[in-house]
Amino acid sequence: MAAPDAPVSDPAIDLGSPHFIGIGGAGMSGLAKILAIRGAKVAGSDAKESTALLALRALGCQVHVGHAAANLGDASCVVVSSAIRADNPELVAAQERGIPVVHRADALARLMDNRRAVAVAGTHGKTTTTSMLAVSLTSLGLDPSFAIGADLNEAGSNAHHGEGEIFVAEADESDRSFHKYAPEVAVVLNVELDHHANYASLDEVLDSFETFAHRIVPGGTLVLSADDSGALALRDRLAVSAPQLTVVTVGERDEADLQLVKIEPQGLASKVTVRVGKAGGEHVFTVSVPGRVNASNAVMALAVGRALGLETDAMGTALGNYQGVRRRFQLKGEAGGVRVVDSYAHHPTEIAADLETARGAVGAGRVIAVFQPHLFSRTQQLGTDMGRALAAADIALIMDIYAAREDPQPGITSHIVAHSALDHGGLVRMEHSWSEVADVVARIARPMDLVLTMGAGDVTLLGPEILEAINQR
């Protein structure tokens, strides 16, 4: 099937010699990889050395450590994300020299030109669902291109330039940049209030997702959750504003077009039963990662495969090849009978889901959560809900806020999270020293426990240190 007619991205963008500011970031490095493979003369810079920079250099990219105006060279354009500050010296120099500044979403939209684009959106689960699609479509021999916000366990990469006609990408709602895309199939996993620096209310978030849905090309399909209230509110809006749009619902509710009928745990995997249509047949397939959320994401991916014209059972079998993605409930190792798992969860819904998954996998042991709040703005708005979710852990060790791109805000600290967890019956310990966390966890943990490091910041680096500290105790 040929790709349907779609709006073409801005033809004025010259990606022949792009310079990426922050090229080592999860999203930026993926685009740089694809452009390099397609023959572009890619350059860029980042604040510090990383494995992502090493991989880019291996592809022939010229990568600088540190930001300086001289790094721009003869760039045809400068690619930025919303995380790049206005006073970045390379951005300032590009503006002074009249070099076009391109948002990463515009660059990704250009890469998806003339492909059957699949854009996966939602407050949670984008990376996992996009990854499931990339793995399953690849295992079916379709060689899709993909751009993902983390590295696949199977491929060890966050991006691929494929020879096939399908391009699968995460669609980021945080800064409304997903309005740039024109997908054949769009996915909305859930709609909740987040990214408080850009959205003042849930209505604003729904407005943004409605705009995204209107970008679907004529004849395309929207796949959305039948179990999420925000997604259903979006469906109701679209019934008025886009009645011609084909909408496929997925979930556990009886009215879902693809109903998740049963989830049967099988160790760190699940056997999933799906009913297609109210009177349709049942299909059974295996998801090789644990938990209800992963099973739900897999059925969303199954629905996308069907929208692309793929046979249901073949797509279900292919989904069984997915082995996970870095930082999405990723097992880091085991020491002294204690398993250590790393998670990107930083929103209350994600925290609750991962703790539920951990509880199902822990058996007679305890779940010890090591949580690092991400962003002052998010903690201010959602810190109480974070604490409520963390109370489900047997022990919650709470670290200081990871500021990322934000400046500190007076009175906004991780104590907001800790006090809420205590108020909701949690057992809590505050730890302000990053370097002390591993030893503290090693003293607390005992055989059969599961330690879950959680957050979008540098808490991810603690897994190996915790394992080493346990081995040395």
Side-chain angles (χ1 to χ4, degrees), residues 336 338 366-370 394-398 427-431 436-451 466 469-470 473:
V338 178
R366 302 171 302 168
V367 176
I368 301 172
V370 179
D394 293 291
I395 303 171
L397 190 152
I398 299 174
L427 181 60
V428 177
R429 174 180 176 129
M430 289 292 303
E431 183 51 68
E436 294 293 324
V437 172
D439 287 337
V440 170
V441 174
R443 291 196 298 268
I444 294 172
R446 59 197 187 205
M448 299 185 70
D449 287 351
L450 187 150
V451 177
I466 291 170
I470 293 173
R473 67 186 179 185

Side-chain angles (χ1 to χ4, degrees), residues 291-306:
R292 179 172 299 276
V293 171
N294 281 321
S296 176
N297 290 337
V299 181
M300 297 290 283
L302 183 74
V304 172
R306 287 173 52 84

